[in-house]
Structures are given as C-alpha cells and as structure tokens.
C-alpha cells in the first residue's frame, strides 16, 4: 500500500494553467479508472474535485480537469485563481479493494 | 443536506483504546459505503478503512490492520471505528466520508482529533 507519487509543490501565476501528476502502478492507477482528486484548504476537510479520472461533481468549476495515461493520472487547473491555492491529493482504488492517496501537492498561486 | 459529524476524539495514552463515531443525516445511510481517512499533523491524507453499505465487507490499511475495527449501525445512521493498541503515530485528525461511487468520497465530516500521548 505505497502512496501514489505526486510532486511536493507546483506554482503558477493567476490566469495560467498548471498540471499535477499522480503516478501509481498497474495495481492501482494503471489498472482502474477510479482516480479521484481532492482539494484541501488549511484546517478544512478535503473536497472532491474530480472522480473517475475525468468527471467533475456538480458545482466544481470547469477550470478543473483530469486525465490518465498508463499509470499516471493528471489534474489540470486552467485560468488559475487565488482561491485555487491549496493542497491537492489524488486517490485510486487498488487491486486489494482498498484506497490509496498520493502524498499531496501544495499549489501556490504567485 | 448531507451531514457527517464525527465524535469521540481526544487525548489517549499509548496502548489504550478509543471509539470514534460518525453520525450521518440527509441521505439514506444504509445505501452507501463509508470510509475513515486520517491526517497526521503536517502530513498528507492516509486512507484507513472502508465498510460496505450493509456491513458485509471491510478493508483496512496495513498500518491499522488488526488494531482498528470499522462497523456501522444502519438503524442509528451511525458509523464507528474502534481503535485499540493506539500508537503515537495514530495521532491525527480522523474524518468519516461517504463513498458516493466506486472509491470516490463525495461528502466528508469536519473531523475529530485523536492525540496519542503519554
């Protein structure tokens, strides 16, 4: 049950686009289209932003999008806004019927 | 609206036990799988355990297997987690979360802090 691999930090200026990667194995990310992304602001509970690789829950801005290639999933945020500054976590279903999270990525909006 | 409210956190000595509860409302509790997720201070999210909608299946992270037990009472719309043999490294905020679809956690509680310290 090793954590999925995410970059520790990414940054971008308002209006720009950024992409956060999430690398796993064939036993998790690569084996299933059950990848989700969560946004967490300091002191708050995580919020679901993307599910099943590329689906947005109702109410989530279409500036957020997801994709997957092989064992690497990606979250792209376009038109960066100040309120996007937060920690982002990917998660995936695993072959053991468990869930695994990535280590988290801190997004800084410059 | 969907609400999840955790309780039962607190300060406990290493080796002791604690039971967390999660009261659910605003949805048909008995139709959804439920998870516990934790976050140690300054660290990332760690998945802990899941229970199926009817309680027939449970899965655990290796870090808690054999020490933690998840359960539910659908008549009371409540999720539980019994935590035994607590260790310093179990210190974290614990959230309950609803599984809105395969392994997607669409609603989370506000969390309850567990501190394991002598």
């Amino acid at each position: 049950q090793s954590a999925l691999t995410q970059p520790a930090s990414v940054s971008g200026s308002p209006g720009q686009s950024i992409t956060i990667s999430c690398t796993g194995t064939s036993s998790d990310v690569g084996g299933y289209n059950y990848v989700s992304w969560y946004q967490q602001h300091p002191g708050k509970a995580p919020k679901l932003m993307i599910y099943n690789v590329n689906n947005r829950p109702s109410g989530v801005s279409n500036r957020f999008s997801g994709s997957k290639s092989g064992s690497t999933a990606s979250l792209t945020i376009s038109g960066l806004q100040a309120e996007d500054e937060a920690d982002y976590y990917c998660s995936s279903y695993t072959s053991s019927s468990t869930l695994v999270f990535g280590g988290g990525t801190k997004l800084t909006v410059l | 609206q969907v609400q999840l409210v955790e309780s039962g956190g607190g300060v406990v000595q290493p080796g002791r036990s604690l039971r967390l509860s999660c009261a659910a409302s605003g949805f048909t509790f008995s139709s959804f799988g439920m998870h516990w997720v934790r976050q140690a201070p300054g660290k990332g999210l760690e998945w802990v355990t899941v229970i199926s909608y009817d309680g027939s299946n449970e899965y655990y992270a290796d870090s808690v297997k054999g020490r933690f037990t998840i359960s539910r009472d659908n008549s009371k719309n409540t999720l539980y987690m019994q935590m035994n043999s607590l260790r310093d490294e179990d210190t974290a905020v614990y959230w309950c979360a609803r599984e809105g679809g395969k392994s997607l956690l669409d609603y989370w509680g506000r969390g309850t802090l567990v501190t394991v310290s002598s």
Side-chain angles (χ1 to χ4, degrees):
Chain A
Q1 293 181 349
S2 298
L4 306 177
T5 301
Q6 297 181 233
S9 63
V10 298
S11 63
S13 299
Q16 288 187 332
S17 295
I18 63 95
T19 296
I20 299 171
S21 62
C22 169
T23 301
T25 69
S26 58
S27 296
D28 39 63
V29 175
Y32 307 93
N33 286 326
Y34 297 128
V35 176
S36 298
W37 289 90
Y38 300 87
Q39 176 192 66
Q40 186 185 33
H41 286 109
K44 300 295 187 181
K47 175 187 176 183
L48 180 66
M49 304 301 284
I50 295 287
Y51 67 94
N52 293 358
V53 176
N54 57 10
N55 292 272
R56 278 188 314 276
S58 174
V60 172
S61 170
N62 59 9
R63 298 185 298 104
F64 291 82
S65 62
S67 63
K68 191 186 87 166
S69 177
S71 296
T72 298
S74 298
L75 172 72
T76 297
I77 308 174
S78 59
L80 267 181
Q81 299 180 0
E83 60 260 36
D84 299 333
E85 185 162 295
D87 293 327
Y88 290 85
Y89 294 90
C90 61
S91 74
S92 174
Y93 177 75
T94 82
S95 58
S96 301
S97 301
T98 62
L99 195 63
V100 61
F101 282 99
T105 298
K106 181 177 180 60
L107 169 61
T108 300
V109 180
L110 302 170
Chain B
Q1 72 281 23
V2 173
Q3 272 203 311
L4 298 170
V5 179
E6 302 93 340
S7 61
V11 180
V12 61
Q13 293 180 326
R16 303 298 290 264
S17 299
L18 207 60
R19 188 177 83 155
L20 304 184
S21 299
C22 169
S25 61
F27 66 102
T28 305
F29 181 69
S30 59
S31 296
F32 291 85
M34 296 294 296
H35 295 246
W36 287 99
V37 176
R38 69 183 181 182
Q39 185 172 39
K43 302 297 185 182
L45 301 177
E46 181 186 13
W47 177 80
V48 178
T49 181
V50 59
I51 188 168
S52 59
Y53 69 99
D54 60 355
S56 62
N57 290 292
E58 309 159 22
Y59 298 94
Y60 298 89
D62 288 345
S63 58
V64 307
K65 199 173 295 182
R67 300 188 300 123
F68 291 10
T69 302
I70 191 172
S71 62
R72 64 191 298 158
D73 186 337
N74 285 345
S75 68
K76 296 182 178 179
N77 291 342
T78 303
L79 175 72
Y80 303 100
M81 184 165 67
Q82 178 67 39
M83 309 163 67
N84 297 333
S85 303
L86 282 162
R87 305 168 180 169
D88 291 349
E89 55 265 36
D90 295 320
T91 294
V93 173
Y94 286 76
W95 289 282
C96 62
R98 188 183 84 166
E99 183 173 275
K102 189 70 168 182
S103 291
L104 70 93
L105 307 181
D106 58 351
Y107 287 95
W108 298 60
R110 299 184 73 170
T112 187
L113 176 62
V114 172
T115 302
V116 183
S117 174
S118 54

